[in-house]
Amino acid sequence: MILSIPKEIVPGERRVAATPDSVRRLLKKGFEIQVESDAGLAATFTNRDYELAGAKMISDPESLFSNTDVILKVQGPAFNAALEKDECDLMREGTVLIGLLQPLTALATMKRLAQKKITAFAMELMPRITRAQRMDVLSAMSSLAGYKAVLLAAAAFGRIFPMMSTAAGTLYPAKVLVLGAGVAGLQAIATAKRLGAVVEAFDVRRAAKEEVESLGATFVSLELTPEEGEGTGGYAKALSEASHQKELALIHAHVKAADIVITTALIPGKKAPVLITAEALKAMKRGSVIVDMAAETGGNCSETRVGQTVSVEGVMLIGAVNLAASIPVDASQMYANNLTHFLNHLCPELTLMVNPKDEITQGTLVTHEGVIVHERVKAAVEASESTKGRA
């Protein structure tokens, strides 16, 4: 079975789907590996590194895409300006595609993959179960992103994080508020604490309290019924309008006192909830910093601009995008490990096993044999087409 690793072409993407180390492990399993020239350079892996690991280097992306059994990618298919072709059109019928495909938003791409009879697996749909922990790409990338978000905030902040007593006077510690205590939020808490900040964290899920406090942060809680804040797979879920208003008032009060705010709140498949209103932003101290990690899905702050850093009422607001890609070496290593474990699961005997009864396969399989098979993706496509029809 031939595995191919293309060079990522989405702007700003510096990760690669296989490292020289993961290539060695996959070759030992019996796979053949071909890597597009310069695919790993942004993550410091040279063509020579891959050759020494045993991979075959391919300079022509059209050849790479068309002569393979499985394609491993970071980002989903994109338009290749140099070839004036979409990567979907470079794949031959029956190819297996594995990557972060954004299946609930890139609906046109999902339809094209189905039409091309591509068997596509979306790694971000990996179920959060014990068996799948070593394949959990979102947790791996979110951990790195949470760490990097705090470093961005520290670099933008006009003061230091820790308390410092000097002959010139005492410098008091920064106050950090983290909104959302999932994987990214917990790593942000841990990083801010390591830098010496005083940290508070808010989450609608009661289960997050123990984890937040174990890291030395203060948990900010909202009185909800257990069913109201807890979603599936460990995620939060959308609140009722009345509870959301209580949430906004509580966050407003804590944002006013914060020097740094890191927002991480996401609801899978939906627009990110607005947690910091324009009014709350105006109440913040001048020189404060917000890093909005939910920028790509609408932002947790009403004034966030995707991929931009703007100053609003003296507050620096960073619309963070794809933070894991800014740590390409570690991110590539972690991502490649996730894919290696996933491939071992799918191909125990070097033959793709599409078992629809397996929870991991069922959770990640988006298109197969010419149709969209994932129920949530199928529903999203149908809803989109229905909306177009009414228009």
Side-chain angles (χ1 to χ4, degrees), residues 327-358:
I327 314 174
V329 179
D330 289 335
S332 296
Q333 289 174 341
M334 294 173 77
Y335 185 72
N337 286 341
N338 292 143
L339 289 188
T340 298
H341 291 303
F342 186 56
L343 280 168
N344 289 337
H345 176 78
L346 288 179
C347 311
E349 302 296 333
L350 293 184
T351 302
L352 181 69
M353 302 289 289
V354 181
N355 178 6
K357 294 183 180 180
D358 173 66

Side-chain angles (χ1 to χ4, degrees), residues 293-324:
M293 294 180 63
E296 289 178 272
T297 55
N300 292 144
C301 180
S302 63
E303 307 306 305
T304 294
R305 300 293 177 265
V306 181
Q308 297 181 35
T309 297
V310 296
S311 179
V312 182
E313 302 291 336
V315 176
M316 187 172 292
L317 176 54
I318 301 172
V321 174
N322 199 10
L323 287 179

Side-chain angles (χ1 to χ4, degrees), residues 36 95 128 155 208 217 228 251 289 316 318 337 346:
E36 184 178 346
T95 301
R128 287 192 161 174
E228 196 170 4
I251 290 172
V289 177
M316 187 172 292
I318 301 172
N337 286 341
L346 288 179

